[in-house]
């Protein structure tokens, strides 16, 4: 006889499908959702339903928005000659939080990863090239993840841009030790990259 | 001008209220929930609604169930003379997963924690004492967390049980090194407890 109730088990299983959620956390979240007052769960569900009904992708940069054009693309103070290319919307959100970038974005919604059968046609790459062709872009910052598929995606995009437009600055986000890192505790790959990518002391 | 969409922000904020969820994970979960197909989100919401509508607390042990009496209390093969007292339902689930306990439970739904103004009346303590008074219990295992408030709760309950019924075995779950732990890496408090609570080698 199963000692865990089947309805509770189903709920835990649904929650385990969420990203970054292990079985223990799923259990805690399930019990929490069951314990919420009616008005609290209503607020949660209403917010979710409202967000799903009204949010869509910006037709220019593919950020998430409920406006016709997203907040960043329609902000006149942003530098539209600089496009920062990221894999996912949360990468954009992370860069926005730094406050150190004032250009616009292009969200690929994925990367090129032949091992997992993800080709250039499955990401918003054609749309990026169209933007570059049809507007005055000075710089494209390739901010895909510094991992195997992200590096490959960046290299692939850089080559494509070069082949259609030569007078454009193409850059790649820096890889190195995280700030405040202890060298003795850094992972070998990051440390070897930090040495390889060392800069002149000025 | 805020660069993050307000509806997305509201959704992230709702998700951040869930236990064990930091801001980054909340962001990932929000984007994931937005990306789900209609039938996937429907399944998620239906499971949640069904669970909330049908699950309640077992009137005997306060485990979560959709039956009149929970799966464990109604299982004739369980030893009803042994009650394992836990703080929360997820503690019960964790102990069930070990498969090493064949008695029944009592879920307190909290602990006694004067610092946070949580007194004995806010947990299912009276109900536990009634069970002990009115049925033939041989052992009560106090499996509240081995932390300040959990220890205090266990001590408090042990004294109360002793005051109403003397012929009952009251035990406390063991504290010590986790299995496979490295002594050199163990935290000081656990290690000192492991030494203090050492047992005769047999």
């Amino acid at each position: 006889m199963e000692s865990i109730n089947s309805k509770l088990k189903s709920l835990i299983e649904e929650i385990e499908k969420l990203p970054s959620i292990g079985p223990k956390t799923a259990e805690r979240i399930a019990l929490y959702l069951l314990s919420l007052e009616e008005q609290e769960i209503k607020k949660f569900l209403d917010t979710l339903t409202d967000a799903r009904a009204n949010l869509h992708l910006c037709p220019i940069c593919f950020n998430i928005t409920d406006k016709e054009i997203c907040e960043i693309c329609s902000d006149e103070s942003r530098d539209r000659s600089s496009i920062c290319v990221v894999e996912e919307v949360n990468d954009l959100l992370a860069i926005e939080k730094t406050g150190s970038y004032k250009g616009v974005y292009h969200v690929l919604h994925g990367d090129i990863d032949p091992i997992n059968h993800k080709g250039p046609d499955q990401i918003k790459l054609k749309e990026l090239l169209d933007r570059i062709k049809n507007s005055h872009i000075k710089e494209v910052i390739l901010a895909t993840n510094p991992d195997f598929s992200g590096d490959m995606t960046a290299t692939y995009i850089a080559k494509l841009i070069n082949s259609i437009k030569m007078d454009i600055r193409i850059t790649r986000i820096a890889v190195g030790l995280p700030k405040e890192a202890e060298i003795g505790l850094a992972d070998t790959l990051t440390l070897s990259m930090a040495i390889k990518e060392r800069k002149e002391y000025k």
Side-chain angles (χ1 to χ4, degrees), chain A residues 12 15-16 18 32 37 41 47 57 60 62-63 78 84 88 90 111 119 136 142 150 155 162 165 170-171 174 194:
Chain A
I12 294 169
I15 293 167
E16 267 194 76
L18 300 175
Y32 172 84
E37 296 294 327
I41 196 80
T47 307
L57 299 183
I60 299 173
F62 304 98
N63 180 18
R78 309 284 302 216
C84 178
E88 304 292 350
N90 60 330
D111 60 6
H136 184 63
L142 298 168
T155 307
N162 264 325
K165 216 169 190 177
I170 305 172
T171 55

Side-chain angles (χ1 to χ4, degrees), chain A residues 131-149:
Chain A
R131 277 179 84 181
I132 293 170
K133 275 178 203 158
N134 301 325
S135 53
H136 184 63
I137 307 297
K138 286 183 192 158
E139 178 172 8
V140 174
I141 303 171
L142 298 168
T144 51
N145 290 334
D147 56 18
F148 181 74
S149 57

Side-chain angles (χ1 to χ4, degrees), chain A residues 125-186:
Chain A
L125 181 52
K126 187 184 169 297
E127 293 84 350
L128 172 65
L129 299 176
D130 287 344
R131 277 179 84 181
I132 293 170
K133 275 178 203 158
N134 301 325
S135 53
H136 184 63
I137 307 297
K138 286 183 192 158
E139 178 172 8
V140 174
I141 303 171
L142 298 168
T144 51
N145 290 334
D147 56 18
F148 181 74
S149 57
D151 284 342
M152 185 158 49
T153 306
T155 307
Y156 186 85
I157 295 176
K159 281 186 183 165
L160 271 181
I161 298 174
N162 264 325
S163 73
I164 58 166
K165 216 169 190 177
M166 292 301 287
D167 58 340
I168 205 163
R169 188 177 174 212
I170 305 172
T171 55
R172 179 90 175 99
I173 43 157
V175 169
L177 290 172
K179 278 294 281 180
E180 317 293 338
E182 289 190 49
I183 290 177
L185 301 177

Side-chain angles (χ1 to χ4, degrees), chain A residues 9-100:
Chain A
K9 199 174 173 187
S10 303
L11 181 58
I12 294 169
E13 282 167 359
E14 278 300 310
I15 293 167
E16 267 194 76
K17 293 179 188 169
L18 300 175
S20 323
I21 302 295
K24 290 270 175 190
T25 306
E27 235 174 62
R28 291 194 61 193
I29 293 176
L31 294 169
Y32 172 84
L33 289 173
L34 290 172
S35 75
L36 286 181
E37 296 294 327
E38 204 48 52
Q39 65 183 57
E40 293 170 310
I41 196 80
K42 190 176 179 307
K43 191 172 170 227
F44 178 85
L45 296 178
D46 286 351
T47 307
L48 175 59
T49 309
D50 180 45
R52 279 185 56 93
N54 292 296
L55 291 173
H56 55 88
L57 299 183
C58 170
I60 299 173
C61 76
F62 304 98
N63 180 18
I64 282 182
T65 186
D66 65 337
K67 314 283 189 305
E68 203 184 323
I69 305 293
C70 86
E71 283 82 350
I72 296 172
C73 285
S74 56
D75 182 349
E76 304 249 326
S77 73
R78 309 284 302 216
D79 176 5
R80 290 166 198 197
S81 72
S82 169
I83 298 181
C84 178
V85 178
V86 294
E87 293 180 20
E88 304 292 350
V89 173
N90 60 330
D91 301 329
L92 178 158
L93 297 176
I95 295 172
E96 279 301 288
K97 272 178 209 148
T98 69
S100 62

